[in-house]
């Protein structure tokens, strides 16, 4: 399958030569940040892992530890993220979201609504291996109500496959009855239907719902639910429609308004850079009438911004 990422493996790749470049960039007085960021963005994640191995073999030191020692702030966070294998990156992001001070619901919502069932299964297994803890139990200990229930359903990664033609109308009808047509909302029904059906099936349900009620699914969710549950239901609906569009919107709101949500910016740019960042750029341009590149450019500074712009891989002005 052709990747829609902006970061591609380097053609004439030599892990040892790259390790030498990075070592020189950090040796002596002052750090050559530019050499570091230019090199790492021009390599795939798999190649970065090989560089890490070569670095230890040549110099007897841990590359990530050395980078942390030389860099600082959000630039360091971004470079360390680029050095982390994708699965491990999702796992540590979730762990920090749960075990940090207060739960970062945004991270739980973003990762669990956008990853494929297969990816979720891998995340659950890797989390257990890394922390000897059960991700579901950790999530349950830190969340509550229907928000918790929907996260648990997503963690089962048992979505139905394909489209159940016979259930399209009845699913739409059930959602209408559970929300717009009822005094009060039957959140459990929203949770069950949206958590268990395939994206293809849900897209058909949303169309039927629109015909039946005159409302987009998103409008009804905004009216009928609130708080974290609303955020999660909306994310599930948006990802069923288009994962790249969901991430385009996530990036836009991370940069819009007062102060940038750098953590979200880093997480999305890094985790989608080899997956679908080209498609995210296209959706961004379509939805917000400016390019992702121009928004990043206007928003942050220094080596951090330079790295993000390289990850972005071009302007769609």
């Amino acid at each position: 399958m052709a990747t829609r990422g902006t970061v591609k493996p380097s053609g004439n790749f030599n892990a040892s030569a790259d390790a030498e470049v990075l070592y020189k960039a950090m040796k002596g007085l002052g750090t050559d940040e530019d050499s570091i960021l230019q090199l790492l963005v021009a390599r795939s994640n798999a190649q970065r892992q090989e560089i890490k191995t070569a670095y230890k073999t040549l110099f007897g030191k841990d590359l990530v530890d050395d980078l942390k020692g030389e860099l600082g702030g959000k630039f360091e966070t971004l470079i360390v993220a680029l050095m982390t294998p994708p699965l491990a990156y999702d796992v540590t992001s979730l762990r920090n979201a749960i075990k940090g001070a207060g739960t970062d619901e945004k991270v739980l919502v973003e990762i669990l609504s956008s990853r494929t069932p297969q990816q979720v299964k891998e995340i659950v297994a890797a989390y257990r291996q890394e922390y000897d803890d059960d991700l579901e139990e950790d999530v349950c200990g830190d969340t509550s109500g229907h928000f918790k229930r929907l996260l648990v359903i997503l963690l089962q990664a048992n979505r139905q496959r394909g489209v159940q033609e016979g259930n399209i109308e009845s699913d739409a009808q059930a959602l209408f009855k559970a929300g717009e047509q009822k005094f009060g909302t039957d959140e459990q029904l929203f949770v069950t239907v949206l958590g268990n059906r395939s994206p293809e099936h849900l897209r058909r349900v949303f169309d039927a719902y629109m015909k039946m009620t005159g409302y987009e699914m998103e409008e009804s969710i905004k009216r009928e639910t609130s708080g974290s549950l609303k955020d999660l239901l909306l994310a599930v609906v948006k990802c069923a429609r288009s994962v790249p569009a969901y991430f385009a919107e996530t990036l836009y709101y991370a940069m819009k308004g007062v102060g940038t949500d750098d953590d979200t910016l880093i997480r999305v740019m890094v985790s989608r850079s080899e997956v679908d960042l080209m498609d995210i750029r296209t959706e961004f341009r379509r939805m917000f009438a400016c390019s992702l590149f121009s928004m990043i450019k206007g928003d942050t500074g220094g080596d951090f911004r330079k790295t993000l712009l390289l990850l972005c891989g071009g302007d769609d002005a």
Side-chain angles (χ1 to χ4, degrees), residues 9 85 99 106 116 119 124 167 186 250 252 265 278 296:
K99 295 293 179 190
K106 198 180 339 186
T116 64
Q119 286 172 318
V124 170
N167 293 341
D186 177 3
T250 303
Y252 180 78
L265 198 52
M278 295 298 288
I296 292 171

Side-chain angles (χ1 to χ4, degrees), residues 36 44 55 58 65 106 176 180 185 217 242 282 306:
I36 295 171
S44 67
Y55 192 92
L58 289 168
D65 287 347
K106 198 180 339 186
F176 179 51
E180 296 287 356
T185 308
M217 194 70 238
S242 161
T282 304
K306 205 171 187 177

Side-chain angles (χ1 to χ4, degrees), residues 174-186 190 209 213 215-224:
L175 288 166
F176 179 51
K177 284 197 174 123
E180 296 287 356
Q181 216 181 16
K182 186 174 186 290
F183 183 74
T185 308
D186 177 3
F190 277 81
Y209 185 88
T213 65
Y215 296 124
E216 290 289 11
M217 194 70 238
E218 290 90 333
E219 293 175 71
S220 291
I221 288 170
K222 281 177 187 163
R223 257 204 303 279
E224 299 293 326

Side-chain angles (χ1 to χ4, degrees), residues 21-279:
V21 170
L22 291 171
Y23 184 73
K24 285 201 184 89
M26 292 186 278
K27 198 168 168 285
L29 282 171
T31 305
D32 180 359
E33 285 90 355
D34 203 51
S35 297
I36 295 171
L37 66 90
Q38 295 281 354
L39 187 141
L40 293 178
V41 172
R43 306 291 180 267
S44 67
N45 193 286
Q47 289 177 330
R48 292 180 208 130
Q49 304 314 315
E50 288 185 50
I51 296 169
K52 200 175 151 183
T53 305
Y55 192 92
K56 191 163 264 185
T57 305
L58 289 168
F59 308 112
K61 299 169 83 173
D62 185 283
L63 174 55
V64 176
D65 287 347
D66 278 3
L67 287 165
K68 282 181 182 167
E70 294 293 327
L71 311 173
K74 52 194 181 178
F75 177 52
E76 177 194 325
T77 309
L78 175 53
I79 293 294
V80 171
L82 286 170
M83 290 302 305
T84 311
L87 178 57
Y89 187 56
D90 277 353
V91 168
T92 46
S93 298
L94 288 168
R95 179 72 171 187
N96 295 338
I98 297 166
K99 295 293 179 190
T103 308
D104 191 344
E105 275 106 2
K106 198 180 339 186
V107 178
L108 299 179
V109 167
E110 183 196 297
I111 293 178
L112 295 178
S113 63
S114 65
R115 303 304 187 253
T116 64
Q118 183 53 41
Q119 286 172 318
V120 173
K121 286 188 169 124
E122 288 166 8
I123 287 168
V124 170
Y127 189 95
R128 179 179 291 280
Q129 197 177 351
E130 181 64 31
Y131 302 111
D132 199 20
D133 276 336
D134 185 306
L135 178 54
E136 187 185 317
E137 278 176 24
D138 283 356
V139 165
C140 287
D142 249 29
T143 57
S144 60
H146 293 287
F147 176 61
K148 173 175 87 174
R149 289 178 195 178
L150 182 47
L151 289 171
V152 169
I153 290 173
L154 295 173
L155 282 166
Q156 305 314 302
N158 279 331
R159 276 183 186 276
Q160 293 169 351
R161 292 175 183 229
V163 177
Q164 273 78 37
E165 292 290 344
N167 293 341
I168 292 169
E169 287 295 322
S170 56
D171 279 350
Q173 189 84 48
L175 288 166
F176 179 51
K177 284 197 174 123
E180 296 287 356
Q181 216 181 16
K182 186 174 186 290
F183 183 74
T185 308
D186 177 3
E187 289 95 347
Q188 186 59 51
L189 194 111
F190 277 81
V191 163
T192 304
V193 173
L194 295 175
N196 283 299
R197 308 289 191 264
S198 72
E200 316 76 293
H201 180 85
L202 287 174
R203 287 195 289 274
R204 298 279 298 276
V205 172
F206 302 154
D207 291 344
Y209 185 88
M210 179 75 188
K211 280 203 188 84
M212 193 180 289
T213 65
Y215 296 124
E216 290 289 11
M217 194 70 238
E218 290 90 333
E219 293 175 71
S220 291
I221 288 170
K222 281 177 187 163
R223 257 204 303 279
E224 299 293 326
T225 61
S226 62
S228 314
L229 175 63
K230 177 185 78 174
D231 296 341
L232 182 55
L233 287 168
L234 283 174
V236 168
V237 169
K238 286 170 182 175
C239 286
R241 289 196 195 271
S242 161
V243 171
Y246 168 71
F247 279 119
E249 196 179 7
T250 303
L251 286 168
Y252 180 78
Y253 287 108
M255 289 183 279
K256 192 184 181 312
V258 183
T260 306
D261 177 357
D262 291 320
D263 290 339
T264 297
L265 198 52
I266 292 169
R267 205 169 47 247
V268 175
M269 292 295 288
V270 170
S271 64
R272 308 315 288 185
S273 62
E274 292 182 53
V275 184
D276 55 3
L277 195 46
M278 295 298 288
D279 297 329

